[in-house]
């Protein structure tokens, strides 16, 4: 295992965790649509209990994704999480209010009422995916930061700094970041509908979901196509090891796909699987398994996008303030010893995934029904 192999391996692991996180945010998508899919208190309680059984898996994946990024590519972590402070704080805030809402809305002494906590779940459902999409879009569109690597040897406390006083909020001024954030929002909304149709045994919710899915997925498709076409046509930064400088390359991400042709296979499979899961759900009144095909498709597509952002000597975090401060997987990663040690630890990941599958199947052994809500509810 060479150092280069370990760098690529850990970018793959981080990308896979990010792809799984996007899929698992069906929890946020479902919560953002609960008011339109539920027309009475019983239906609202069924939706809340359906997402309430899975939110911890999503939250745990988010924490694992952040932890893997920190351990593998600490310079990105310190630059983005430290520099784009307010953007990440807003993201974390939305997930904190989600956890609080699930845990405390049925507690004794709740003086705020269920509606207040349901409103917090809606905030997380809308702004959580949107802001995460904005943050990920900076992988392709860049961010305003500078890095002084010389401070590593001079023992200066500040290595990276933000180039303006917005501390990450300037990402919300880029229309392409906004567009991708909206695409992620409508994607997880589509996944949320598919999940509820599969998990809740109620004809009213399923029929409303099928109708709502048409418009929601159509909006995602338009936004996603526009973003992908623009990204494939735009310039990108490539690290030239021989000259020790970054080069601006036209059609960089298109070249990445063509040069790494093997990524076209999971990309094509992912798109077909996603479309199959959604379209079959729309045209068939009895089919409720679309979440699995769509979920697999989303994981594959997002995985390929993130790999194109980091592999092939690509600057996965371009600097808009100083090109030479841009980050690649080679100049922002941990030491070879750290990556090698973590490689052996990562071999336990399949066992963790197997446990998640086991727990998931145990929770979903019986569909959520009105009768179950009458007997007792979690949330």
């Amino acid at each position: 295992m060479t150092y280069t192999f370990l760098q690529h391996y850990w970018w793959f692991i981080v990308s896979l965790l990010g792809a799984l996180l996007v899929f698992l945010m069906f929890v946020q998508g479902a919560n953002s649509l609960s008011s339109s899919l539920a027309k009475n208190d019983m239906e609202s309680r069924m939706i809340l209990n359906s997402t309430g059984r899975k939110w911890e898996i999503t939250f745990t994946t988010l924490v694992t994704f952040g932890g893997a990024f920190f351990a593998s590519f600490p310079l990105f972590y310190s630059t983005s999480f430290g520099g784009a402070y307010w953007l990440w704080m807003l993201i974390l805030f939305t997930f904190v209010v989600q956890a609080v809402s699930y845990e405390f809305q049925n507690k004794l002494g709740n003086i705020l009422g269920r509606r207040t906590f349901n409103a917090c779940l809606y905030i997380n459902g809308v702004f959580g995916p949107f802001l995460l999409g904005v943050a990920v879009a900076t992988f392709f569109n860049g961010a305003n930061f500078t890095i002084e690597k010389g401070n590593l040897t001079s023992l200066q406390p500040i290595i990276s700094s933000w180039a303006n006083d917005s501390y990450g909020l300037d990402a919300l001024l880029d229309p392409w970041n906004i567009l991708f954030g909206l695409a992620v929002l409508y994607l997880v909304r589509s996944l949320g509908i598919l999940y509820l149709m599969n998990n809740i045994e109620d004809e009213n919710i399923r029929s409303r979901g099928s109708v709502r899915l048409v418009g929601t997925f159509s909006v995602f498709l338009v936004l996603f196509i526009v973003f992908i076409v623009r990204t494939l046509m735009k310039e990108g930064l490539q690290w030239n090891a021989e000259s020790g400088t970054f080069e601006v390359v036209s059609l960089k991400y298109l070249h990445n796909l063509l040069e790494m042709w093997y990524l076209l296979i999971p990309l094509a499979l992912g798109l077909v699987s996603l479309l199959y899961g959604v379209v079959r759900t729309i045209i068939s009144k009895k089919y409720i398994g679309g979440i699995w095909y769509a979920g697999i498709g989303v994981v594959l597509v997002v995985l390929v996008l993130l790999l194109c952002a980091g592999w092939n000597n690509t600057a996965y975090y371009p600097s808009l303030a100083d090109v030479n401060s841009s980050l690649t997987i080679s100049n922002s990663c941990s030491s070879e010893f750290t990556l090698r040690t973590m490689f052996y630890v990562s071999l336990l990941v399949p066992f963790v995934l197997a446990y998640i599958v086991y727990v998931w199947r145990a929770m979903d052994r019986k569909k959520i029904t009105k009768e179950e809500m009458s007997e007792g509810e979690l949330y």
Side-chain angles (χ1 to χ4, degrees), residues 231-244:
T231 300
L232 293 178
M233 296 296 105
K234 73 185 293 290
E235 297 176 338
L237 292 179
Q238 178 170 308
W239 175 252
N240 188 324
E242 294 181 359
S243 63

Side-chain angles (χ1 to χ4, degrees), residues 11-79:
W11 184 256
F12 173 82
I13 294 297
V14 169
S15 299
L16 179 60
L17 289 172
L20 290 172
L21 175 61
V22 173
F23 162 60
L24 291 172
M25 282 199 296
F26 64 75
V27 172
Q28 281 66 36
N31 286 334
S32 72
L33 292 169
S34 61
S35 60
S36 60
L37 295 179
K39 299 302 181 182
N40 54 56
D41 183 62
M42 176 61 73
E43 293 174 351
S44 178
R45 287 161 54 194
M46 285 194 292
I47 291 177
L48 183 62
N49 277 267
S50 178
T51 59
R53 297 177 182 183
K54 303 296 192 306
W55 76 270
E56 290 176 316
I57 298 177
T58 306
F59 194 85
T60 301
T61 305
L62 174 64
V63 174
T64 305
F65 170 70
F69 227 140
F70 169 72
S72 308
F73 305 97
L75 189 53
F76 165 80
Y77 196 88
S78 64
T79 301

Side-chain angles (χ1 to χ4, degrees), residues 258-278:
L258 296 178
E259 292 172 13
M260 298 184 292
W261 56 267
Y262 44 87
L263 293 182
L264 291 172
I265 300 174
L267 178 62
L269 291 175
L271 290 173
V272 171
S273 182
L274 173 60
L275 290 172
Y276 175 81
V278 173

Side-chain angles (χ1 to χ4, degrees), residues 272-303:
V272 171
S273 182
L274 173 60
L275 290 172
Y276 175 81
V278 173
V279 172
R280 185 178 175 184
T281 301
I282 293 173
I283 63 178
S284 175
K285 294 183 178 180
K286 295 183 178 180
Y287 183 69
I288 60 173
I291 180 62
W292 305 119
Y293 286 100
I296 293 173
V298 166
V299 171
L300 291 176
V301 171
V302 175
L303 175 62

